[in-house]
Amino acid sequence: MTATELLADLRLIVPELVLAIGALGLLVAGVFIRGEQAASRLVSLVSMALLVLAAGVAVFLAPEGGGTAFNGAIILDSFALYAKAVVFLAAAVALVLAGNFLEAERIGRFEYPVLILLATLGMSVMVSANDLITLYLGLELQSLSLYVLAAFNRDSLRASEAGLKYFVLGALSSGLLLYGASLVYGFAGSTGFDAIALAAAEPSVGLIFGLVFVVSGLAFKISAAPFHMWTPDVYEGAPTPVAAFFATAPKFAAMMLLIRVLMEPFGAMADQWQQITIILAILSMAIGALGALLQTNIKRLMAYSSIGNMGYALVGLSAGTEAAVWAVMLYMTLYVIGVAGAFGVILSMRRAEGMVERIEDLAGLSKTRPGLALAFTGLLLSIGGMPFLVGFFGKFLVFFAAVEAGLIWLAVLGGLFSTISIAYYLMVLKRVWFDEPVAEFLPAPASIAVITRVAGIGTVGLLLLVPFMLGQVMQASAVFGG
């Protein structure tokens, strides 16, 4: 490879270079900054700036026309750029949500934002993967960082348990993915997506088996049932800002990766993988809806909510069309916004004795903190797909994609489970609006209050931006057209 070719390749991965160099630099700088809290604050601020800078580079400074780098291992197209921008901004918001919590719990260390940067770097590589090896490298860079983040509170038994469970089950999913990738390589003769696509035009039994294992490994990353078992325990045990991060950027990146894998190398095998995604969708919607009804912990409820919402996204993806891609992209974008705001409310659940997480602790919130209660109401109902809120349009579009592809029965089933899901959101809101207050929460930090209220207003205000957002995701999904 000549110097000119190397520079051309590096131009396509500038956001990744920003994050990689920034993470390594901050890791060294954090050691020399005096004071643990001072180091944590400074590294967090610089990390947020790097994430916003990377998003700006991806949106405004990407080479026109994109292309591939490193012999086709990395691809840069409109789909990857859109996914990167959402992932970078979601990670920045997660860092904003974390700052005050980490200080209050006395676990604020500069390693936290560095791990967020490294996880986000892995996600960025994932959504630009054009080769099974690149896919695995990005996935593992993300996963290894997330394992540490789940157990970041070393003094908490619950956090240590969450980290261990996530690591063990994550290793199992990586094994499934690697085994599937080895089968695909064996029967396709290459790890490159373009070569796999050629082999998929006339698929062998071995290639189909490889596809099943690859999809199973990726299903774990989006916590789709029956690969969801880690989600409730990890959400509950991990520090709340870590759970907020898990529910946003990694979930979005993994879904975008699943879209790319199914639509590009295995696009010709839609009849085969459609059966898998339909089963995953039904199981996820059922377990998410019914499991959440039994929860008393708000973080576990959000975990089951995320399982169900991944099921709705898979309903749209099962259509296997370009319309399905942009519908899922918009749905996941709106989901990330709603969940970030909802976790802002959960992070506001602090009393003098510390953080509380039980649903009954929200009793009477409308009387003690009416603004927070109103925002929480809008966010939960939007995530649930209540009509006339912005989340409804995301859910409507994924069901529309399924209907357009002839999967009417699956869309109807999704509507039924969506109706059930509204029940557990109303169960929470009943506590908020009709129960008598137990004790008032302490005032939330300004950063969390702003994010919560902006996201809450967005459940209605974003209705004005839905046409613009729809145009952006349609443009990004055009790479899969035909």
Side-chain angles (χ1 to χ4, degrees):
M1 177 182 289
T2 65
T4 304
E5 291 173 334
L6 179 60
L7 288 174
D9 287 350
L10 292 177
R11 284 187 62 213
L12 296 179
I13 60 166
V14 173
E16 287 84 355
L17 291 175
V18 168
L19 295 181
I21 295 171
L24 294 176
L26 290 174
L27 187 60
V28 174
V31 176
F32 294 97
I33 300 173
R34 293 185 178 180
E36 195 172 71
Q37 294 297 336
S40 176
R41 290 175 187 172
L42 182 59
V43 174
S44 292
L45 287 173
V46 176
S47 298
M48 292 176 211
L50 287 172
L51 288 166
V52 174
L53 175 62
V57 170
V59 173
F60 300 110
L61 299 179
E64 188 174 351
T68 59
F70 305 107
N71 294 321
I74 295 285
I75 187 170
L76 188 70
D77 52 21
S78 56
F79 177 81
L81 290 173
Y82 179 88
K84 288 180 184 183
V86 175
V87 165
F88 296 156
L89 294 176
V93 170
L95 273 178
V96 174
L97 291 174
N100 295 97
F101 177 94
L102 297 178
E103 289 188 14
E105 297 295 315
R106 297 182 180 179
I107 56 173
R109 292 186 289 273
F110 73 88
E111 292 90 348
Y112 184 89
V114 173
L115 287 167
I116 294 285
L117 286 180
L118 292 174
T120 309
L121 173 61
M123 296 175 220
S124 185
V125 173
M126 284 163 52
V127 299
S128 280
N130 198 40
D131 186 283
L132 289 175
I133 296 175
T134 311
L135 178 157
Y136 183 72
L137 288 174
L139 202 61
E140 285 306 295
L141 177 56
Q142 172 207 255
S143 298
L144 291 171
S145 302
L146 297 185
Y147 299 151
V148 181
L149 285 170
F152 195 76
N153 186 358
R154 293 174 296 185
D155 298 326
S156 169
L157 183 61
R158 288 199 313 167
S160 300
E161 181 184 351
L164 182 60
K165 285 182 178 178
Y166 193 22
F167 172 72
V168 171
L169 294 173
L172 174 63
S173 75
S174 295
L176 291 174
L177 181 64
L178 278 177
Y179 182 63
S182 67
L183 287 174
V184 171
Y185 172 67
F187 287 92
S190 174
T191 57
F193 285 0
D194 295 338
I196 295 172
L198 293 175
E202 296 182 4
S204 62
V205 175
L207 194 60
I208 294 173
F209 268 97
L211 168 65
V212 172
F213 280 103
V214 168
V215 173
S216 297
L218 294 178
F220 176 91
K221 303 302 178 183
I222 61 170
S223 63
F227 306 98
H228 68 286
M229 64 288 292
W230 62 274
T231 314
D233 291 338
V234 171
Y235 273 45
E236 181 183 12
T240 305
V242 175
F245 181 58
F246 284 1
T248 51
K251 200 69 65 89
F252 182 89
M255 183 59 75
M256 296 305 104
L257 175 61
L258 183 60
I259 289 174
R260 188 180 288 283
V261 168
L262 294 181
M263 298 299 293
E264 283 194 342
F266 297 108
M269 298 172 62
D271 290 341
Q272 283 79 20
W273 59 252
Q274 186 184 62
Q275 301 172 48
I276 305 171
T277 55
I278 287 174
I279 293 172
L280 293 175
I282 295 172
L283 290 175
S284 299
M285 290 187 295
I287 290 174
L290 300 177
L293 289 172
L294 306 175
Q295 303 308 311
T296 57
N297 182 288
I298 188 66
K299 288 164 66 177
R300 289 185 70 89
L301 184 141
M302 293 302 296
Y304 279 100
S305 170
S306 75
I307 295 167
N309 277 283
M310 294 307 102
Y312 303 128
L314 288 169
V315 168
L317 183 56
S318 297
T321 61
E322 184 184 339
V325 174
W326 56 252
V328 175
M329 290 175 70
L330 181 62
Y331 177 81
M332 289 300 299
T333 304
L334 297 175
Y335 171 77
V336 165
I337 295 171
V339 169
F343 269 98
V345 176
I346 296 171
L347 283 163
S348 302
M349 296 172 61
R350 179 180 291 279
R351 297 189 178 128
E353 64 272 19
M355 292 293 298
V356 291
E357 299 176 356
R358 296 174 303 172
I359 293 174
E360 63 187 43
D361 292 317
L362 289 162
L365 185 64
S366 61
K367 300 178 179 64
T368 58
R369 304 284 294 281
L372 191 64
L374 191 60
F376 198 34
T377 301
L379 289 163
L380 288 185
L381 294 180
S382 179
I383 295 170
M386 182 68 76
F388 309 114
L389 294 176
V390 70
F392 167 78
F393 291 93
K395 194 167 285 187
F396 171 80
L397 287 173
V398 294
F399 291 161
F400 172 78
V403 170
E404 192 179 46
L407 299 173
I408 299 174
W409 66 272
L410 184 60
V412 171
L413 199 59
L416 291 174
F417 282 121
S418 184
T419 303
I420 295 174
S421 72
I422 292 292
Y424 59 77
Y425 294 124
L426 292 177
M427 175 183 71
V428 176
L429 296 179
K430 179 261 181 187
R431 296 275 189 184
V432 169
W433 289 96
F434 298 108
D435 287 8
E436 290 300 317
V438 179
E440 188 173 351
F441 296 142
L442 297 176
S447 56
I448 294 178
V450 168
I451 289 175
T452 301
R453 282 159 177 75
V454 168
I457 294 170
T459 59
V460 176
L462 282 176
L463 290 173
L464 302 175
L465 296 178
V466 164
F468 170 76
M469 297 171 70
L470 194 55
Q472 294 300 308
V473 295
M474 283 182 169
Q475 181 182 350
S477 65
V479 298
F480 301 113

